[in-house]
Amino acid sequence: MLVVDDGSTDDSANIVRGILSKQKGFRFVQHKNSGPAATRNRGIDKTQGRYLIFLDADDEMMPQALEHYRCALDSNEIIGMLAGGHISKTPLGDKKESTMPAIPKSAEARLKAYLLDKSLALSNGAVAISREVFDAYRYPEQFRASEGISMFAFILANFEVLRIKEPLAVIYKHNDSLRHNVTDASAAGLLVVDEVFGLARIPAQFQHLKIKFMAQRSLSLFRTLFIAGNVKEARTFYHRAVRFNPLVIFRASYFIQYLRSWF
């Protein structure tokens, strides 16, 4: 196990050193705060395992997760990613279990399920990714949020993906986590779409999905900003979504939020 400290300002480093002094099998590296993409890439460089599992500071591996991974790999030779469900937990203790649905066989169907339909939800803490993936592509360090989208899309388009139905991680939800960083999400904006659909990452036969993802990404940013109270900026992304795909006006939940943004 490798712990990478992304320039923490609390007592994390001393806590890890205390564990290292009592228990073998851990390694620890530190670097200046660079964001999750750079931190994961550093971990890739500092490890040698065939499959890598990334746990953020607000993730916890389920007790039987490694056994589920082992069993899945015993019967499958060439797999780019193993993906399982997860349990979300709020600061109030509310829990929601999300099982991993059946993963489509075709690469195009997988991309649609992940990028457009949102029927395939992936979390870094609940997947194991083959090192072969990282030989071809690394996490995009120019983004401090949404950096996982292009990685997962790259894997779904180019590698076999195996489903593990059981939950593999607990994902702790809290308002100040990177997942809810509105500033970073807004900065990434629609640039994420170009990163996802770079021709070096997504084959030409799937490029027709880009315009639809532009619309979906705009809707996602609209909702993120609306919830954060940035209604003026939120509306600009809703307008962009409609320009990219006029049919999004029939998606009732987004349209109702758009109407509410004017009152």
Side-chain angles (χ1 to χ4, degrees):
M1 177 182 289
L2 173 69
V3 178
V4 183
D5 184 347
D6 185 30
S8 65
T9 57
D10 55 15
D11 202 35
S12 296
N14 289 330
I15 292 172
V16 174
R17 291 192 185 98
I19 295 173
L20 287 170
S21 67
K22 301 174 183 177
Q23 188 169 343
K24 295 181 179 180
F26 290 85
R27 290 187 295 133
F28 180 49
V29 297
Q30 292 176 287
H31 64 189
K32 67 179 182 179
N33 182 259
S34 305
T39 302
R40 292 190 184 107
N41 288 338
R42 182 82 183 276
I44 294 166
D45 290 335
K46 293 292 183 179
T47 55
Q48 297 179 339
R50 180 183 168 197
Y51 284 86
L52 287 81
I53 303 167
F54 299 92
L55 292 173
D56 292 336
D58 45 7
D59 296 342
E60 177 183 342
M61 185 177 287
M62 294 289 287
Q64 301 301 316
L66 290 179
E67 186 61 30
H68 289 313
Y69 285 127
R70 288 193 192 100
C71 290
L73 287 172
D74 282 345
S75 56
N76 293 273
E77 291 282 328
I78 306 172
I79 297 295
M81 180 172 70
L82 299 93
H86 66 274
I87 295 172
S88 300
K89 186 179 288 189
T90 70
L92 297 177
D94 298 325
K95 294 194 297 184
K96 178 182 178 182
E97 181 173 331
S98 300
T99 58
M100 178 57 61
I103 298 175
K105 295 288 186 182
S106 77
E108 181 170 349
R110 291 196 295 264
L111 284 173
K112 287 181 177 178
Y114 176 61
L115 296 175
L116 305 181
D117 303 336
K118 301 296 184 180
S119 58
L120 180 60
L122 299 169
S123 173
N124 273 299
V127 300
I129 302 175
S130 169
R131 183 168 292 278
E132 290 183 17
V133 171
F134 303 120
D135 290 340
Y137 181 53
R138 293 294 182 92
Y139 287 97
E141 298 185 14
Q142 67 269 35
F143 301 124
R144 280 184 167 263
S146 307
E147 77 292 335
I149 297 175
S150 60
M151 178 59 73
F152 287 138
F154 173 70
I155 296 170
L156 294 171
N158 297 283
F159 294 86
E160 291 299 315
V161 180
L162 184 68
R163 171 204 189 203
I164 298 176
K165 184 178 179 181
E166 293 80 7
L168 301 175
V170 179
I171 310 298
Y172 289 90
K173 307 287 187 178
H174 47 90
N175 292 334
D176 61 347
S177 72
L178 286 173
R179 296 182 180 94
H180 299 285
N181 192 316
V182 175
T183 301
D184 289 341
S186 180
L190 297 180
L191 296 175
V192 169
V193 179
D194 290 329
E195 180 67 24
V196 168
F197 280 91
L199 284 172
R201 293 175 288 281
I202 300 296
Q205 64 265 35
F206 305 141
Q207 289 293 320
H208 66 279
L209 299 175
K210 181 175 181 178
I211 190 68
K212 292 183 178 179
F213 182 52
M214 290 282 274
Q216 179 57 53
R217 174 68 179 166
S218 296
L219 285 178
S220 297
L221 290 165
F222 159 72
R223 176 164 285 173
T224 296
L225 292 163
F226 175 81
I227 293 173
N230 299 357
V231 293
K232 186 176 181 180
E233 187 178 1
R235 284 196 294 266
T236 65
F237 281 106
Y238 188 84
H239 297 158
R240 290 176 183 177
V242 174
R243 286 200 300 271
F244 292 132
N245 181 7
L247 294 179
V248 302
I249 64 173
F250 296 109
R251 299 181 66 174
S253 63
Y254 291 103
F255 186 62
I256 290 170
Q257 285 184 323
Y258 174 70
L259 292 178
R260 288 174 55 195
S261 74
W262 291 97
F263 300 98

